[in-house]
Amino acid sequence: MRAELDKAGRGNIKNLAFSAKKSPADFKTEQERIKAHQTEKKIDFSLGGLLGDKIQRKLIYDMVLVYDLWFERKETDRGNPI
């Protein structure tokens, strides 16, 4: 799931978590919006049909809570990767 979330980008993922908390309909709408704007990346939040809507919603919401920890800082003050 992390790979799929990475394809969508941080802003989209934060919106997805917000919509997951609101309602199943908002969550589904936000998923479709993200997929429509990221067509070349072929995002599949169901992981090939393995996850149903309810499980996707719970999993994505939980993962987004710690999502910022996954983003690596690109460079330190000296220009060296961390």
Side-chain angles (χ1 to χ4, degrees), residues 36-75:
H37 289 110
Q38 303 289 337
T39 56
E40 69 280 353
K41 295 182 182 177
K42 307 265 192 261
I43 297 172
D44 179 16
F45 293 115
S46 73
L47 303 179
L50 294 174
L51 304 176
D53 291 340
K54 186 175 181 180
I55 297 298
Q56 284 179 55
R57 189 172 164 215
K58 289 179 71 173
L59 179 61
I60 289 173
Y61 179 77
D62 290 344
M63 289 179 76
V64 171
L65 293 177
V66 294
Y67 191 72
D68 285 332
L69 299 174
W70 293 335
F71 279 92
E72 294 182 36
R73 290 174 50 198
K74 300 288 184 205
E75 296 181 353

Side-chain angles (χ1 to χ4, degrees), residues 11-54:
N12 285 332
I13 295 308
K14 293 294 184 173
N15 288 338
L16 192 60
F18 177 73
S19 65
K21 190 172 183 178
K22 282 180 72 176
S23 72
D26 284 344
F27 180 68
K28 194 68 169 171
T29 300
E30 186 64 17
Q31 280 184 316
E32 294 304 318
R33 186 195 65 77
I34 291 169
K35 288 178 187 178
H37 289 110
Q38 303 289 337
T39 56
E40 69 280 353
K41 295 182 182 177
K42 307 265 192 261
I43 297 172
D44 179 16
F45 293 115
S46 73
L47 303 179
L50 294 174
L51 304 176
D53 291 340
K54 186 175 181 180

